[in-house]
Amino acid sequence: MTKLGVNIDHIATIRQARHALEPDPVAAAVIAELAGADGITIHLRGDRRHIQDDDVRRLRETVTTRLNMEMAPTPEMVRIALRFRPDQVTFVPEKPGEVTTEGGLDILKNRKAAASAIRELQKGRLEISLFIDPDLAQVDAAAELRVPMIELNTRSYAEACPRSPDLDRATVQRELNKITAASDRGAGLGLKILAGHGLTYRNVRLISDIADIVELNIGHNIVARAALVGMARAVKEMLQAMGRH
Ligand code: PXP
C-alpha cells in the first residue's frame, strides 16, 4: 500500500496572497489527516512565500501522522528544523525566483554541503530524506551519505503526461523506466523510496504501482481540487486514484 503525504504549501499560498489569516494550513492538515492522509508535508522556503515559521510550530503541535519538512540544506533551515523537530526533513534545492522546485539535489556536486547538514540533523536525531532526480549516480551518492530514504523527482514523468499517460506512451514509458531503475537501485542499497512532484489524479497510478515506492508526496493537484470540492474529498479521491479504497 503506497502512502500519501499531502503537501499543504498552497493553502498557505492562498492565505499569503492577501496576508490574511485564512485559509489556515493547520485546518487543512487536520482535514487531510481525517480524510486518510498518511502524512503532512510543508516546504519552508528561504523567501517565506507560503509556509511561515509559526506555521511549522503550530503544525508540529497539531499533526498526528508524520510531519515532513522540506527545506534547503542551509544553516538557517538546519537551525529551524532542530528547533521544531519535524518527523522527517527532506533536503531540496532552492533557487531564488523559481516557481517550484526545479530539480533534485545534485549530490555529486554538493556532497560536502549536504554531508555537513545531514551530520547536524543526525546529531539531533532527525530522520532525513534527499530529493533527487531518478539518476543512478545520484542514488548511489545518496546511499553513500547514509540517509535512510530518498524521494525521486517525478517532474519529468509528470511533464511527459500533463493530461493522460495514454496520450504519449513512448515518452512516458522512457521516464517511467528511469524512475523504476532508480527505485530498484535505491531499494537494493537499503533505502526507503519515496517519490513526488507534479503528480496528478490522472498520472499517479503508474507511479503508485511501482512496488519499491512506498510513499508519494503530492501538493498542487490536491490543493487545486480542494479549492473546488473541499480538502477531504480531494484527499480521498487521490487515495482512490492511487488504488487505495
Ligand atoms: N516533493 C518535493 C520534494 C517537492 O519540492 C514538491 C513541491 O513542493 C512536491 C513533492 C510536491 O509537488 P507538487 O506540488 O507538484 O505535487
Side-chain angles (χ1 to χ4, degrees):
M1 188 188 79
T2 317
K3 291 186 173 175
L4 173 64
V6 176
N7 181 318
I8 55 169
D9 289 347
H10 295 308
I11 295 291
T13 300
I14 300 172
R15 179 191 62 191
Q16 296 309 109
R18 297 295 292 269
H19 298 289
L21 295 174
E22 296 170 307
D24 187 349
V26 173
V30 171
I31 296 169
E33 286 187 321
L34 289 173
D38 301 290
I40 299 298
T41 295
I42 48 172
H43 183 170
L44 185 68
R45 284 187 164 269
D47 64 9
R48 306 300 196 274
R49 71 173 73 154
H50 38 54
I51 293 293
Q52 307 296 305
D53 300 47
D54 199 46
D55 294 328
V56 183
R57 179 188 66 76
R58 294 185 308 122
L59 285 162
R60 175 61 297 178
E61 286 175 0
T62 316
V63 167
T64 55
T65 52
R66 274 174 72 78
L67 181 63
N68 170 28
M69 180 174 153
E70 297 173 0
M71 57 182 231
T74 62
E76 181 202 13
M77 289 298 156
V78 166
R79 262 196 315 276
I80 293 172
L82 288 170
R83 176 166 167 222
F84 293 121
R85 306 196 59 76
D87 299 293
Q88 178 184 324
V89 167
T90 303
F91 282 147
V92 298
E94 230 174 76
K95 275 197 215 150
E98 67 186 355
V99 172
T100 179
T101 312
E102 286 180 354
L105 265 184
D106 187 343
I107 304 178
L108 297 168
K109 267 200 193 145
N110 302 299
R111 200 188 300 257
K112 242 174 131 182
S116 139
I118 290 168
R119 239 188 341 267
E120 286 301 302
L121 293 188
Q122 283 181 335
K123 264 197 265 166
R125 293 195 309 283
L126 291 184
E127 214 174 306
I128 301 159
S129 175
L130 302 177
F131 180 62
I132 58 172
D133 289 333
D135 173 278
L136 299 186
Q138 296 289 346
V139 175
D140 291 347
E144 280 167 18
L145 287 172
R146 303 198 171 281
V147 290
M149 62 189 126
I150 54 173
E151 179 176 336
L152 296 174
N153 182 6
T154 51
R155 182 178 179 165
S156 297
Y157 161 78
E159 284 176 355
C161 45
R163 294 192 168 77
S164 162
D166 303 334
L167 298 179
D168 184 5
R169 194 61 208 223
T171 317
V172 170
Q173 194 56 51
R174 228 182 4 254
E175 294 303 330
L176 212 47
N177 290 346
K178 287 187 206 161
I179 295 167
T180 309
S183 56
D184 239 36
R185 176 77 137 244
L189 291 166
L191 293 165
K192 180 173 156 188
I193 313 295
L194 290 71
H197 211 290
L199 295 177
T200 70
Y201 295 85
R202 293 178 190 84
N203 67 25
V204 72
R205 190 60 189 263
L206 293 179
I207 301 294
S208 61
D209 277 352
I210 298 173
D212 287 322
I213 295 180
V214 296
E215 188 168 328
L216 302 179
N217 277 311
I218 308 181
H220 183 269
N221 208 235
I222 292 177
V223 173
R225 187 170 289 211
L228 302 180
V229 305
M231 181 56 96
R233 185 168 148 194
V235 170
K236 284 186 187 143
E237 288 178 358
M238 185 57 82
L239 289 166
Q240 276 167 15
M242 291 164 59
R244 285 177 51 176
H245 299 286

